[in-house]
Amino acid sequence: MPSLHRDVVIVGRGIAGLCLSVFLQRKGIEHFLVVKEMQQKVIALAETLPPSAVAMIQQLGLREVFEESALEKTLGYHSLWGSPKVQDVNFYFQHPYNYGLKLDKQLLLEKLESCLDSHKCVQCKNWSWKEEDRCIRVNSAEKVFDLYGRIFVDATGRKKALLRKLGIGSTVHDQQIAFSCHLPRIRHPKIKHGVFTEAFKGGWGIVSTLDQRTNVMTLYAEKGSPQSWKMREYHHWQTLLSDTQILQAFLPGEVLSPVFVSAANSICTNEIAGSDWLALGDAAIAFDPLSSHGIANAVYTAWQAAEAIEERLGSDSDLALKVYSEKLRKIFGAYLVTRQRFHNNQVFFP
Ligand SMILES: Cc1cc2nc3c(=O)[nH]c(=O)nc-3n(C[C@H](O)[C@H](O)[C@H](O)COP(=O)(O)OP(=O)(O)OC[C@H]3O[C@@H](n4cnc5c(N)ncnc54)[C@H](O)[C@@H]3O)c2cc1C
């Protein structure tokens, strides 16, 4: 079997995998990024990067790439969450950046990929893990070959494709699931920012401006709950949101896309790193989208992973990977505490 050898083999072309590839390239660390042709359709969600993360992407030399991929700068958001009054969370006093970014994620992925030398990406139809040789067997359109690395990285998001092959399980902290669709844009007199969040009985929802003509709305509920079954079909949304103060006003009669379902639960892999592998981004620790932590976490873990990998490659010890793992575990622990506070506060129903 033909084989190729690199220091690092990353699986998954999301923000985490691409950022890690960019950081390793800057360090001159030889690696491959395995990109699988995915059949799954995606929907633009207009994900928000909070102001606190803008400072980090500036520090990492990625602010330009992110800003070029932004649909707009966001100056705040509104919410009806644990209070009968609409809250205006204004970013004006945030320091050093008083704005967040609403991202076109597909464009961001393309821009990050364009930062890489083209030979770094290995496109394939599928791949498998060969435990006996500790390598990845890649099946591309033209040939089959083995990829060997000193370190393997799972950057496949919630799919955790490599972790599963390594037999590593996860701890699930809730069963939240998301239902998203594109709607004709409606403007609301009380909502001046492009993002609004409201809790309702058995769930919560968010509406965000995508462009001049489109809003994207996502509803969240626990998987298997009566609300979650209804959320699958747009024609139930009017009834589901009938008790909301504001969210229902964003529902037009027509809909511009089917309803897309995605996992949105809090989940942490049982092991974040071993002696010759690590996980990052959603594959390692995945957050409730309410937190707006997901993209910042993908970038941060890629940064920390690049540092740990550099140290690991230069030594016989796997201490750097252990420290990386501990750091992520602490972050996830702190997040769970905050999340509990937010959801306990979800007490206001009109
Ligand atoms: C409804 C919703 C709204 C969200 N809103 C926000 C928000 O406003 N702000 C925010 O910060 N975050 C938000 N998030 C979270 C954020 O999108 C994710 O946390 C972030 O994109 C994770 O990046 P990642 O690179 O770790 O994983 P992913 O983006 O999932 O990337 C994983 C990559 O791996 C690939 N892959 C999967 N399986 C395989 C395989 N077998 N082989 C090879 N490749 C594979 C996938 O195709 C993909 O390219 C939201 C999430 C959801 C579900």
Side-chain angles (χ1 to χ4, degrees):
M1 182 68 57
S3 63
L4 292 166
H5 296 247
R6 290 292 183 272
D7 283 331
V8 184
V9 179
I10 309 164
V11 188
R13 178 195 170 269
I15 295 171
L18 284 165
C19 284
L20 176 60
S21 188
V22 169
F23 298 147
L24 294 181
Q25 179 172 282
R26 286 184 192 164
K27 288 177 181 293
I29 295 175
E30 290 298 329
H31 66 279
F32 279 132
L33 178 70
V34 178
V35 181
K36 185 175 160 181
E37 291 164 22
M38 304 296 278
Q39 306 298 334
Q40 212 179 348
K41 287 200 173 144
V42 288
I43 182 171
L45 293 169
E47 288 95 335
T48 302
L49 190 78
S52 53
V54 178
M56 177 177 66
I57 56 172
Q58 162 70 15
Q59 189 187 342
L60 295 172
L62 290 176
R63 185 157 71 96
E64 208 174 308
V65 173
F66 272 72
E67 290 200 354
E68 284 170 5
S69 315
L71 297 159
E72 60 181 28
K73 287 183 176 172
T74 52
L75 304 178
Y77 62 88
H78 296 283
S79 70
L80 257 172
W81 194 283
S83 149
K85 276 199 174 149
V86 176
Q87 306 292 309
D88 178 346
V89 180
N90 201 306
F91 295 154
Y92 186 76
F93 295 106
Q94 298 267 348
H95 188 74
Y97 296 98
N98 60 0
Y99 62 89
L101 296 174
K102 202 186 276 191
L103 295 165
D104 176 338
K105 191 171 156 189
Q106 290 313 310
L107 182 61
L108 176 61
L109 295 175
E110 282 163 28
K111 286 202 176 282
L112 286 169
E113 190 169 347
S114 72
C115 300
L116 299 174
D117 301 339
S118 56
H119 67 273
K120 294 241 165 15
C121 291
V122 176
Q123 308 282 343
C124 69
K125 281 188 185 307
N126 51 51
W127 56 274
S128 55
W129 173 249
K130 299 281 144 202
E131 179 58 35
E132 59 284 11
D133 301 320
R134 285 197 88 73
C135 71
I136 284 178
R137 182 154 298 169
V138 172
N139 203 331
S140 77
E142 304 91 46
K143 53 187 177 184
V144 180
F145 54 96
D146 287 342
L147 286 182
Y148 286 84
R150 290 171 64 195
I151 299 177
F152 291 91
V153 177
D154 190 336
T156 64
R158 290 169 179 273
K159 293 257 189 292
K160 301 175 191 291
L162 182 59
L163 290 170
R164 285 174 201 271
K165 304 214 165 153
L166 294 171
I168 292 155
S170 295
T171 303
V172 174
H173 293 267
D174 63 76
Q175 295 288 347
Q176 187 171 254
I177 184 163
F179 301 86
S180 310
C181 77
H182 287 179
L183 305 170
R185 183 168 170 184
I186 290 175
R187 289 173 171 81
H188 192 284
K190 284 192 183 163
I191 306 301
K192 65 177 190 295
H193 301 306
V195 181
F196 172 71
T197 307
E198 184 170 355
F200 54 89
K201 197 168 184 197
W204 64 278
I206 182 166
V207 62
S208 183
T209 313
L210 189 63
D211 57 41
Q212 283 305 318
R213 283 181 300 180
T214 319
N215 279 338
V216 50
M217 188 181 281
T218 303
L219 301 185
Y220 296 84
E222 284 284 296
K223 195 175 174 182
S225 66
Q227 287 84 358
S228 76
W229 286 111
K230 289 196 171 148
M231 285 176 187
R232 282 166 203 277
E233 312 271 358
Y234 180 73
H235 64 87
H236 290 308
W237 285 26
Q238 198 66 253
T239 320
L240 278 163
L241 301 189
S242 58
D243 285 339
T244 58
Q245 259 191 57
I246 288 190
L247 205 55
Q248 61 177 313
F250 286 96
L251 291 179
E254 54 169 335
V255 50
L256 302 176
S257 77
V259 174
F260 282 72
V261 186
S262 39
N265 59 336
S266 308
I267 177 167
C268 179
T269 180
N270 293 340
E271 290 174 57
I272 292 171
S275 62
D276 66 349
W277 64 268
L278 64 84
L280 78 170
D282 275 6
I285 46 177
F287 303 98
D288 183 336
L290 180 64
S291 68
S292 279
H293 278 355
I295 291 173
N297 178 60
V299 180
Y300 174 78
T301 54
W303 169 28
Q304 294 303 304
E307 300 299 313
I309 286 169
E310 184 178 39
E311 213 175 313
R312 172 71 181 111
L313 291 173
S315 98
D316 291 336
S317 150
D318 61 2
L319 181 66
L321 299 187
K322 285 193 177 127
V323 171
Y324 166 81
S325 168
E326 265 323 292
K327 212 178 277 176
L328 267 58
R329 226 166 259 298
K330 273 196 191 135
I331 291 170
F332 195 71
Y335 151 77
L336 285 179
V337 174
T338 314
R339 182 183 184 278
Q340 192 64 33
R341 268 211 330 262
F342 263 87
H343 283 272
N344 285 350
N345 211 10
Q346 190 184 328
V347 289
F348 173 71
F349 302 115

